[in-house]
Amino acid sequence: MDVIVVATANKGKLEEIRQYLAGTFTTFLSLTDFDESVEVIEDRPTYYENAWKKARKVGNRFGMATLADDSGLEVEALHRSPGIRSARYGSNDRERVDRLLAELAGVPFEARAARFKAYLVYYLPRLGQTFMFYGELRGYIGLERRRDGGFGYDPVFMLPGSGRALSELSLEEKNLISHRGRALARFKKFLSA
Ligand code: ITT
């Protein structure tokens, strides 16, 4: 039985990771499956270092193979904000999206380019080894919120050429093209090598 701990408290991330790796691991545990809570303060200057910190802390606490994801949204017109502060941009998804739309008020459609970045860190505590996998997705921030779906900034993240927001895709469709899906594809390839 292959067990993996996904070091996240974000249900949206967990569902995407679980869907992608369903044939690879048999059991997925996340932070809510343990009685003991592990708090990781994400105070590092890069996504990679924050993902590394989450994977190491959780993996060492439970002694199991652990995967952490640190991700964020970078908007060109906002000088790549919210970036590594994407989670702290508001206290819930609604507030974060409202703030983003407010900060972009008056910015024309063609100047709203954005990209999502995802860094995955896989940590094997018994071997003391860490591995990193990266993926990104380019698009633009829409003028208004689209249908609910996915999580986080998905309702305003528009895919180039399709007129659709990420929130309008199924989990499987999102995983085929997203920043996280691309990083997961690299992780899966690494596992099968
Ligand atoms: P964990 O640290 O517990 O994994 P988190 O939500 O705090 O969960 P991050 O620190 O990596 O995760 O912050 C990522 C932020 O970027 C968060 O606000 C997400 O909503 C947003 N985000 C990341 N990937 C996204 C995606 O695929 N779609 C929409 N928003 C996303």
Side-chain angles (χ1 to χ4, degrees):
M1 189 169 81
D2 277 332
V3 181
I4 189 166
V5 179
V6 185
T8 185
N10 181 318
K11 284 198 188 110
K13 282 186 186 179
L14 177 65
E15 283 317 306
E16 291 178 13
I17 293 170
R18 199 204 300 265
Q19 191 274 335
Y20 204 98
L21 299 176
T24 308
F25 295 93
T26 51
T27 306
F28 294 81
L29 299 174
S30 78
L31 298 182
T32 52
D33 293 312
F34 297 94
D35 292 336
E36 195 186 332
S37 68
V38 187
E39 205 205 338
V40 185
I41 298 167
E42 295 180 38
D43 56 358
R44 300 292 160 91
T46 64
Y47 302 99
Y48 167 65
E49 289 165 279
N50 281 322
W52 190 90
K53 189 175 178 185
K54 286 190 253 194
R56 302 265 311 189
K57 187 154 184 191
V58 171
N60 285 335
R61 183 70 57 88
F62 302 118
M64 290 187 243
T66 298
L67 184 68
D69 166 315
D70 203 64
S71 39
L73 175 70
E74 300 185 355
V75 181
E76 274 177 32
L78 301 177
H79 312 287
R80 299 200 176 169
S81 275
I84 59 164
R85 295 182 56 256
S86 293
R88 283 162 274 162
Y89 214 48
S91 55
N92 55 48
D93 284 348
R94 177 152 287 276
E95 267 186 38
R96 286 186 269 269
V97 167
D98 284 346
R99 177 166 171 198
L100 184 63
L101 290 174
E103 302 226 351
L104 285 171
V107 177
F109 198 53
E110 58 278 8
R112 297 166 77 106
R115 74 182 69 176
F116 270 122
K117 292 183 171 176
Y119 286 79
L120 297 178
V121 169
Y122 184 52
Y123 175 52
L124 298 170
R126 284 182 204 145
L127 299 173
Q129 292 177 333
T130 49
F131 303 91
M132 195 273 281
F133 307 89
Y134 173 69
E136 72 172 50
L137 172 65
R138 291 174 187 225
Y140 50 96
I141 304 302
L143 297 170
E144 60 198 9
R145 191 188 291 275
R146 301 292 281 262
R147 181 164 73 74
D148 266 354
F151 68 95
Y153 299 93
D154 284 352
V156 287
F157 191 91
M158 304 298 295
L159 298 164
S162 82
R164 288 206 290 175
L166 262 187
S167 62
E168 296 173 301
L169 304 188
S170 67
L171 199 69
E172 290 79 3
E173 286 172 324
K174 182 178 169 186
N175 266 343
L176 282 177
I177 58 156
S178 76
H179 46 308
R180 185 165 299 101
R182 287 176 183 161
L184 283 165
R186 293 183 174 131
F187 176 46
K188 209 165 170 176
K189 199 166 167 193
F190 159 84
L191 290 172
S192 64

